[in-house]
């Protein structure tokens, strides 16, 4: 499986450069051979011990493609048994011994007699041995060593595939991956830079570019790309078909692993690269991703042919985009004192062009809201100034928006919110927290708290946290009330004397002075209104305004009671006269005229002028002429009785035997006993009061001028029926005390 990319047809000529390196002399290794120790003991046979290897090796190297006239020196063998007298002989055997490599059997120097090619054979395995020249016996066991052919840059890199024909869609973004090419070098990749390949484009610029150092994909992503958007694709080729070609892409490492993500399109088998975090060209211009493509369906019968995955490197180039200015802070908070003059500097905002051009920035306020019109800004420095005088108690905070744009490109604009906090100045005096309805009872005692007052200040706590209360009374002392500062921003109103009378004074005015603790301190004066009211013994207010209209006359309570009694007597007497007059009028009637010539059935005679003979609605005279017709009870037309009287039964009699006088008396008696009608024909006289009592008069009229030390407070305990009496005698006692 090989990872490739889709591209377009365009002639591109690649050039592979050789990186050369100068090599020094070949590494010279030395062999050190120690002598085997054999001990002879008298009387004992010779014992041979296991020889100990004394070779000390360094690896030998020989430079390939040596073209000099003399054999190339490779290295030197040396044994500890060699005293330099020529008694030690060195023997070389193995690959190339005697043909390619020769040894001086006396000195142990090894030389190469032929030019070697590392690409044909990278190393040679040889064996060395040191023997006694006289006896040909080995002084050391045979040892093995290796001569490696050292690489030189004698091979040009070659493209494994080619020529390359690719296609690329039109209107592709800059940085779109087109093709991945691979070149190999036969030189040793583990030594020097001989096998290092550098890529470059000889034809096709400036439309295409290639990374000069690696064999990987390259993707261009502008820094303005949106987070979550797809920025590129990558695809791995698989010769299998169907589900055997299904694969999954994974980012295994790289410095862009946290910035980009990859997902797999199951239909196209492409890896979709998406952006996870915003890009910033000025902070990081490129990222590297190592992407792995692996088959998802594996057949373990062919696991020995694996691994069924491949890894490639993707380099992502971040493109520079002209961005709007960037403010140094995401938001600003500034302070200004209230009542500051117009044009006072509030604060400064700062923005810079994040691009490498670092263009100059211009500041302005767009005035989209009413609050934006209260401030101005210096276009060059970004200093915000006031355009009106502020009142913290009216508006303590303003929110405005400052904009910045590049002078070279005014269309790129950025905004930042700016909050302006109006600081307090002690410009408001304290005031009472509310209107107080203060009541003092008539039976109040000295030192009694009748009200607790509080104050408020429109300024903040720094200029009004502590209030001071006092009476604004001047040099004179208020004899009725006093004020006590509780030192907790409250004050108590207290009484100075005992007993208050509504008849003497029902309203008092108490001026109070309140000051704050600001710099400088401010104060205000308020007047409290105190009403005098009648209260129960437990302090509940009973009444405050009854008898207020009589107080202006300046009369005592006893005099008022006498006047009221006289008025009542006059009203009763007048009513009696009216009742008497009405009764007399109703009882005065003209005698009935009964004449044989008078054939009219309805004849009513009275001293009121009525409707004449045609008025037959007032009274039915038939009842007088014919008593038998009165069997059915008839009611008066002017009154509707609530209780229907019991029916009356009369003996029947003929018209000729009727005694009119007896009949009238009977009817009068029935009317007197009838509960459904008022006694219009009766007169009651109640002027007689009876004989004088031995106990004397109990009228209060005779005791008005009598002074008594009796306490009438017990009348308040007799219940609501005696409230008025208790109130009257309580006021009399208050007047006497005063």
């Amino acid at each position: 499986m090989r990872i490739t990319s889709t591209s377009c047809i365009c002639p591109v000529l690649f050039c592979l450069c050789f990186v050369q390196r100068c090599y020094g002399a070949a590494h010279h290794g030395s062999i050190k051979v120690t002598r085997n120790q054999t001990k002879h003991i008298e009387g004992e046979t010779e014992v041979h011990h296991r020889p100990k290897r004394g070779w000390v090796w360094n690896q030998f190297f020989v430079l390939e493609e040596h073209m000099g006239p003399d054999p190339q020196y490779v290295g030197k063998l040396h044994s500890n048994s060699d005293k330099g007298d020529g008694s030690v002989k060195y023997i070389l055997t193995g690959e190339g011994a005697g043909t390619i490599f020769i040894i001086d059997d006396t000195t142990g120097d090894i030389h190469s007699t032929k030019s070697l090619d590392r690409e044909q054979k990278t190393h040679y395995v040889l064996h060395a041995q040191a023997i006694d020249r006289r006896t040909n016996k080995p002084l050391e066991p045979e040892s093995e060593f290796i001569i490696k052919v050292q690489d030189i840059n004698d091979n040009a890199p070659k493209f494994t595939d080619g020529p390359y024909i690719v296609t690329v869609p039109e209107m592709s973004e800059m940085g779109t991956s087109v093709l991945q090419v691979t070149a190999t070098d036969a030189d040793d990749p583990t030594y020097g830079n001989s096998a290092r390949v550098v890529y470059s484009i000889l034809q096709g610029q400036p439309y295409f570019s290639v990374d000069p150092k690696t064999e990987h994909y390259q993707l261009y992503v502008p820094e303005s790309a949106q987070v979550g958007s797809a920025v590129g694709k990558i695809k791995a080729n698989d010769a299998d078909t169907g589900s055997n070609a299904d694969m999954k892409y994974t980012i295994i490492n790289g410095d862009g692993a946290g910035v980009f993500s990859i997902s797999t399109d199951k239909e196209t088998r492409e890896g979709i690269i998406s952006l996870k975090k915003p890009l910033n060209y000025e902070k990081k211009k490129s990222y590297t991703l190592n992407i792995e493509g692996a088959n998802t369906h594996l057949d373990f019968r062919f696991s020995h042919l694996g691994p069924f995955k491949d890894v490639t490197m993707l380099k992502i180039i971040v493109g520079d985009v002209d961005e709007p200015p960037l403010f140094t802070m995401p938001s600003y908070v500034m302070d200004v004192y209230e009542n500051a003059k117009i044009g006072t500097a509030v604060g400064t905002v700062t923005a810079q062009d994040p691009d490498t051009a670092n263009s100059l920035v211009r500041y302005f306020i767009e005035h989209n809201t009413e609050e934006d019109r209260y401030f101005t800004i210096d276009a060059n420095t970004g200093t915000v100034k006031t355009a009106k005088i502020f009142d913290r108690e009216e508006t303590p905070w303003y929110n405005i928006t400052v904009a910045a744009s590049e002078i070279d490109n005014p269309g790129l604009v950025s905004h930042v919110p700016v909050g302006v906090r109006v600081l307090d100045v002690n410009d408001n005096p304290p005031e009472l927290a509310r209107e107080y309805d203060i009541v003092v009872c008539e039976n109040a005692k000295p030192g009694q708290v009748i009200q607790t007052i509080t104050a408020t200040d429109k300024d903040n706590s720094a200029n009004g946290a502590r209030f001071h209360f006092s009476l604004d009374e001047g040099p004179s002392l208020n004899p009725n009330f006093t004020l006590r500062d509780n030192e907790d921003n409250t004050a108590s109103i207290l009484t100075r004397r005992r007993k208050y009378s509504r008849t003497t004074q029902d309203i008092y005015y108490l001026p109070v002075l309140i000051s704050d603790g600001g710099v400088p301190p401010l104060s205000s004066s308020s007047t409290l209104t105190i009403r005098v009211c009648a209260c129960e013994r437990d302090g509940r207010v009973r009444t405050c305004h009854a008898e207020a209209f009589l107080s202006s006359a300046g009369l005592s309570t006893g005099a008022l009671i006498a006047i009221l009694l006289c008025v009542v007597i006059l009203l009763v007497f007048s009513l009696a006269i009216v009742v008497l007059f009405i009764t007399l009028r109703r009882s005065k009637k003209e005698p009935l005229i009964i004449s044989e010539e008078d054939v009219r059935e309805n004849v009513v005679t009275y001293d009121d002028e009525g409707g004449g003979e045609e008025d037959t609605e007032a009274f039915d005279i038939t009842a007088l002429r014919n008593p038998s017709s009165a069997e059915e009870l008839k009611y008066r037309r002017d009154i509707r009785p609530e209780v229907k009287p019991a029916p009356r039964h009369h003996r029947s009699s003929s018209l000729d035997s009727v005694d009119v006088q007896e009949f009238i008396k009977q009817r009068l008696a029935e009317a007197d006993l009838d509960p459904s009608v008022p006694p219009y024909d009766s007169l009651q006289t109640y002027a007689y009061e009876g004989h004088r009592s031995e106990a004397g008069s109990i009228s209060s009229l005779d005791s008005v001028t009598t002074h008594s030390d009796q306490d009438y407070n017990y009348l308040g305990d007799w219940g609501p029926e005696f409230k008025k009496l208790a109130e009257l005698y309580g006021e009399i006692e208050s007047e006497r005390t005063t």
Side-chain angles (χ1 to χ4, degrees), residues 231-257:
V231 296
K233 298 179 181 180
I234 193 171
K235 186 175 183 180
N237 291 329
D238 194 323
D240 295 325
T241 59
S243 61
N244 293 327
D246 292 342
M247 62 190 70
K248 180 181 179 180
Y249 297 91
T250 308
I251 298 177
I252 55 177
N253 53 42
D255 59 355

Side-chain angles (χ1 to χ4, degrees), residues 365-376 387-388 390 394-395 397-401:
I365 299 177
E366 294 182 341
H367 300 297
N368 293 327
T369 64
E370 185 66 22
E371 293 184 349
D372 291 337
R373 303 180 185 276
Y374 299 156
F375 300 90
T376 60
K388 64 166 288 187
F390 300 105
E394 179 182 349
T395 305
W397 188 275
Y398 291 90
N399 293 310
I400 63 175
T401 301

Side-chain angles (χ1 to χ4, degrees), residues 34-64:
T34 59
R35 183 178 178 182
N36 291 330
Q37 302 294 327
T38 304
K39 185 176 181 181
H40 298 275
I41 302 178
E42 293 183 4
E44 295 182 4
T45 60
E46 184 179 6
V47 179
H48 294 276
H49 295 276
R50 182 178 182 272
K52 184 178 181 181
R53 180 171 296 176
W55 298 102
V56 179
W57 296 102
N58 286 327
Q59 198 172 42
F60 291 119
F61 293 90
V62 60
L63 194 65
E64 71 168 337

